[in-house]
Amino acid sequence: MLERLHARIVKKAPEILGLPVALTPFPVKKLLLQQLLNWQFRHALAEGELDFLEGRLLGIEIADVNLRWITTMQDGRLAVLQHAEADVWFRGNANDLLLVAARKADPDMLFFQRRLAIEGDTELGLEVKNVMDAIELDAMPTALRTAIQQMANFAEAGMKQDAKAAQARAGVAC
């Protein structure tokens, strides 16, 4: 019973989060995203590892949470934009992207399963992916790393439980 509840929470959480995200004005989202991104990538920024984004536009879309933004480099910092034509888009669902961030899912595997989409300038997309792959979990700020890992553990367990339940239902006669 608790396992089914866990699986249901994981499945419905993005939908539930989608409403407050949709109602939050973009300037508030922009401020939060810029602070989070610059905090997360502070070492990569200091080392110049993200300089290739100068004048380039990277779009991120988390469809099931209604969250979409464009990131670029401006004055040595990551900036978030709302309306621009992105050179490349990364699109996925919240739970999958959470697992990628916690290193619990391989982005290539999700791409081939069509759970992660990279559209547009594939060379730029590959550069972004390589930088993301190179960042060690230990380089993340401790509070952020802990939060991501705990949420990913919860999501992963719920997704596995949901998959088991779906397999059990598949064997039931109509």
Side-chain angles (χ1 to χ4, degrees):
M1 169 98 161
L2 287 178
E3 289 138 356
R4 284 192 356 222
L5 178 61
H6 181 179
R8 188 137 173 94
I9 290 170
V10 169
K11 193 172 189 173
K12 289 291 187 179
E15 182 182 324
I16 294 166
L17 289 173
L19 181 61
V21 169
L23 295 174
T24 302
F26 188 79
V28 174
K29 290 187 253 191
K30 176 181 176 173
L31 179 66
L32 293 171
L33 286 167
Q34 282 183 168
Q35 288 179 345
L36 181 66
L37 291 169
N38 283 292
W39 182 42
Q40 162 59 28
F41 295 108
R42 67 189 185 285
H43 295 301
L45 288 165
E47 298 293 322
E49 295 173 11
L50 296 174
D51 288 352
F52 67 89
L53 278 176
E54 189 78 40
R56 308 296 301 275
L57 300 172
L58 164 66
I60 310 284
E61 182 176 3
I62 308 171
D64 57 346
V65 180
N66 300 314
L67 185 58
R68 172 186 170 120
W69 75 93
I70 296 156
T71 301
T72 190
M73 281 282 293
Q74 290 179 348
D75 301 322
R77 295 182 48 81
L78 291 169
V80 171
L81 310 170
Q82 181 177 20
H83 300 293
E85 283 294 319
D87 297 305
V88 65
W89 278 98
F90 280 76
R91 292 184 168 97
N93 288 327
N95 287 326
D96 289 334
L97 294 173
L98 182 60
L99 295 177
V100 168
R103 305 294 197 266
K104 292 184 165 292
D106 177 31
D108 293 328
M109 178 195 68
L110 295 178
F111 176 78
F112 288 115
Q113 292 176 347
R114 298 180 185 226
R115 292 167 51 191
L116 175 64
I118 302 170
E119 301 167 356
D121 183 339
T122 53
E123 185 178 328
L124 177 59
L126 186 58
E127 283 184 81
V128 170
K129 183 195 161 300
N130 289 339
V131 168
M132 297 295 292
D133 287 345
I135 294 174
E136 297 293 327
L137 277 177
D138 292 342
M140 279 186 187
T142 304
L144 181 60
R145 180 182 65 242
T146 302
I148 287 172
Q149 287 177 324
Q150 287 178 351
M151 288 187 301
N153 288 340
F154 187 82
E156 182 180 44
M159 291 167 78
K160 284 180 182 175
Q161 189 60 39
D162 190 44
K164 285 180 190 175
Q167 286 175 341
R169 287 190 304 269
V172 175
C174 295

